[in-house]
Amino acid sequence: MKRLFTFGLMLIGVVTAYAQTFYEVSYNHPGNKELYMGLLTYTDDAHCKMRLTSYKDRNKNKFKEANYECTVKKDELNDSAKLVIYTPDDKKMPILVWVIEGNEMPELIEPPYVTFNLKKRNKWLKAISFREMDMLDMNEAYLQSFYIGNEPEYKNLVNGFNRVMSQKIMAEEEAKLALRERIVQRPGAGVGEPELRPVIDVPQKPILHLIVTANTNVSDIGMACMVDLNRVRSEFAGIAKVVGLQLDETIVANNDYSKEALVEAVNNLSPSVSDVVVFVYSGHGFRFQDQKDFYPNMDLSPTAYDDAAENYLPLSAVYDSISAKGARLNIVLSDCCNSEIDLDMPIIDTNSLFSRSNKNFDRDKMRLLFLQSAGNIIATAASPGEVSWCGSNGGFFLLSVIESLRNQVSVLNEQTPTWEMLIQNAINAAAQKSESNHNCKKQNGLKFVKVKKIG
């Protein structure tokens, strides 16, 4: 996997109806000091837009809309800082600017500066607020500040709000019911003297077996691999909780990173026929010149002094081993290069408005993917001869997989989710991320998906 440091979001095109992340920005207009509110809608790195209304006009169906594109440039007033600039395709809409100190690229959570002329630095005004919005923050009254009632997108957002609200109420009722079921009468106790104890003979839940292998100690891409590791662990822990799967997690990373540790993790895997197995790799990858297998080899060298040609496992071998163990659903993913060994690695910068949380999901869609699907999946970030790009926000491919998953299970997505569509969309998104950056060559992922619906 090649480390990429360019920060570019390339936010172009038309936003789809099932955006995953929303941000509200409020500011005083630099010219007339009037208070404005904007709703920024983020789907993925290729789709971002904002609707804007003045505070006095927020209930009068008066608003503007623009698509935004991100660029990064050196701060001419401070050599140690960068400017992250979101420019609209409508000059009447505000430019949003973040000033980033140092070399790291943190999340964009602080209020940006607002301006209509980048050259007039003395006219930049700090926004009053910038916050992420959940679906439950956006009821009909709030959305009417930015939408007309007969717009399809407005109706979809209202339906999404209602769906998330009903799921919240249902989850609260299920929690109360589970608590009542655990309150049983003590033998010989009088009425009104309950005892709290575990319920006997509770059916065993299916298990989600998660194996994450990440080369977090390596000097060049270790930071990106750590981001991937944390993101994958958080995402699948949340999924297991939502759909009612037990989580069995095995991590091969940090000082435990080695070929021997990964072999042991796979050999120890013993799933039942109702279980789900997810294997994720983030690190260096390569292929031999005479290699026939299209999928990459995972470089499992524990230190820079170990030979990759002696410390590797083919991704396809791990897939074969896992799929042979008989779990209901097997998913094998890798974000790594698929090019010749010891290729030189450029250093460039990236980031994203991708949210760490996801509260806008449809539980039924998530159950369809993880409880009502059976089969095998293998997918990797790059085709033979290609590199896989990553940056301070992780690998392009794994980020795209999580973005695609969230799109598939969104309450705003009116399509029925499928693993075929999820993986293909992730491959397309990772290709777009790499192609839109002038420092990269396009990466084209590979996949094999054979999954059927059950139940």
Side-chain angles (χ1 to χ4, degrees), residues 373-394:
S373 296
N376 300 307
I377 300 167
I378 181 173
T380 194
S383 292
E386 295 179 349
V387 298
S388 170
W389 301 95
C390 71
S392 51
N393 65 325

Side-chain angles (χ1 to χ4, degrees), residues 285-288 299 307-309 339-344:
F286 67 93
R287 66 185 300 102
F288 297 108
D299 181 354
D307 187 356
S339 52
E340 290 185 26
I341 197 168
D342 296 329
L343 197 66
D344 291 339

Side-chain angles (χ1 to χ4, degrees), residues 112 115 131 153 190 198 218 223 236 244 322 349 382-383 394:
T115 183
R131 63 177 180 134
E153 189 171 341
V218 70
M223 176 179 65
F236 283 97
I322 288 176
D349 249 336
S383 292

Side-chain angles (χ1 to χ4, degrees), residues 11-25:
L11 306 175
I12 56 177
V14 179
V15 177
T16 58
Y18 44 96
Q20 292 304 295
T21 312
F22 302 90
Y23 297 91
E24 179 192 83
V25 58

Side-chain angles (χ1 to χ4, degrees), residues 148-383:
I148 299 173
N150 61 358
E151 288 186 81
E153 189 171 341
Y154 168 80
K155 294 177 181 178
N156 195 30
L157 288 168
V158 171
N159 289 337
F161 168 83
N162 291 334
R163 177 61 176 162
V164 173
M165 178 61 75
S166 66
Q167 288 181 164
K168 181 175 183 292
I169 295 172
M170 186 183 303
E172 292 172 349
E173 291 300 318
E174 289 175 352
K176 292 178 182 177
L177 178 61
L179 180 60
R180 286 198 296 269
E181 289 176 348
R182 289 177 179 273
I183 299 177
V184 297
Q185 200 74 18
R186 291 199 311 269
V191 176
E193 298 181 24
E195 178 184 284
L196 191 64
R197 70 185 188 194
V199 177
I200 300 174
D201 296 330
V202 176
Q204 184 75 16
K205 293 180 179 179
I207 300 173
L208 192 162
H209 303 268
L210 177 65
I211 302 176
V212 186
T213 304
N215 197 352
T216 53
N217 279 354
V218 70
S219 59
D220 51 359
I221 62 170
M223 176 179 65
C225 294
M226 180 61 76
V227 172
D228 288 340
L229 171 64
N230 292 333
R231 178 179 289 143
V232 168
R233 293 183 66 186
S234 175
E235 197 72 18
F236 283 97
I239 289 169
K241 182 178 180 180
V242 168
V243 302
L245 292 167
Q246 294 186 79
L247 181 64
D248 179 27
E249 186 181 69
T250 302
I251 305 301
V252 180
N254 304 321
N255 294 334
D256 296 325
Y257 185 84
S258 69
K259 175 181 177 180
E260 292 74 20
L262 177 52
V263 169
E264 181 180 5
V266 174
N267 287 343
N268 288 342
L269 183 64
S270 183
S272 74
V273 294
S274 60
D275 289 351
V276 177
V277 177
V278 178
F279 173 86
V280 178
Y281 175 73
S282 173
H284 285 299
F286 67 93
R287 66 185 300 102
F288 297 108
Q289 286 186 347
D290 59 350
Q291 182 172 317
K292 304 300 182 183
D293 182 7
F294 289 144
Y295 289 92
N297 302 309
M298 296 173 287
D299 181 354
L300 299 165
S301 305
T303 73
Y305 295 93
D306 293 286
D307 187 356
E310 298 178 359
N311 294 274
Y312 76 93
L313 281 176
L315 182 69
S316 56
V318 172
Y319 168 78
D320 289 341
S321 179
I322 288 176
S323 58
K325 291 178 179 287
R328 172 175 53 82
L329 179 64
N330 300 291
I331 304 167
V332 174
L333 307 171
S334 72
D335 200 332
C336 63
C337 290
N338 198 354
S339 52
E340 290 185 26
I341 197 168
D342 296 329
L343 197 66
D344 291 339
M345 306 181 69
I347 297 185
I348 317 170
D349 249 336
T350 64
N351 210 327
S352 172
L353 280 171
F354 175 80
S355 173
R356 289 175 297 176
S357 63
N358 179 27
K359 300 179 182 178
N360 303 334
F361 62 87
D362 185 321
R363 188 162 57 169
D364 288 342
K365 291 188 176 73
M366 199 172 288
R367 284 173 171 166
L368 180 60
L369 288 177
F370 288 92
L371 295 183
Q372 297 173 266
S373 296
N376 300 307
I377 300 167
I378 181 173
T380 194
S383 292

